[in-house]
Amino acid sequence: QVQLVESGGGLVQAGASLRLSCAASGRTFSNYAMGWFRQAPGKEREFVAAISGSAYTYYADSVKGRFTISRDNALNTVYLQMNSLIPEDTAVYYCATDDRSWAPKTVAAYKYWGQGTQVTVSS
């Protein structure tokens, strides 16, 4: 059974940095794509970043240049380094994975989800 557990969220001021972690278990981690999504109050869940099984990375335009996704296959963990945070980044951040190596950018493409971690950026 695939399990994903996010951590690292919190309350920070605009301009600060946070690093989110997502620990995966239940299968061989390195073969599969991993994604980060977020959902703000009253809004739909949206794509943030993804990394393929071959470590190609993809970003939403809104976070490009500020966020970095990476993975440590030895630790079965994917990270989201978030720099220069702005209030618009406030949301619950979710980690996701699916049964494929390439990295989709849509919510519907991902089969397995974590419980989420709250990120709040104050102005």
Side-chain angles (χ1 to χ4, degrees):
Q1 181 180 359
V2 176
Q3 290 189 322
L4 303 173
V5 179
E6 302 97 334
S7 61
L11 170 63
V12 297
Q13 291 190 329
S17 298
L18 278 176
R19 188 176 79 158
L20 305 183
S21 299
C22 173
S25 62
R27 68 177 182 189
T28 302
F29 172 77
S30 60
N31 297 342
Y32 302 102
M34 302 292 297
W36 284 99
F37 291 77
R38 66 187 181 187
Q39 187 166 17
K43 295 189 176 181
E44 293 188 352
R45 193 168 299 188
E46 64 176 6
F47 171 76
V48 175
I51 185 165
S52 72
S54 303
Y56 289 100
T57 57
Y58 308 88
Y59 297 95
D61 288 343
S62 59
V63 306
K64 203 171 293 184
R66 300 189 298 122
F67 290 12
T68 302
I69 188 171
S70 62
R71 64 193 301 160
D72 186 331
N73 292 334
L75 296 179
N76 288 351
T77 301
V78 64
Y79 302 99
L80 186 67
Q81 177 67 44
M82 306 186 295
N83 298 329
S84 302
L85 284 161
I86 60 177
E88 290 75 15
D89 294 321
T90 295
V92 176
Y93 283 72
Y94 297 91
C95 173
T97 189
D98 193 59
D99 299 328
R100 68 193 87 194
S101 179
W102 61 276
K105 299 180 183 180
T106 60
V107 172
Y110 286 85
K111 183 177 181 180
Y112 307 103
W113 292 84
Q115 292 296 104
T117 185
Q118 176 71 48
V119 172
T120 304
V121 184
S122 63
S123 58

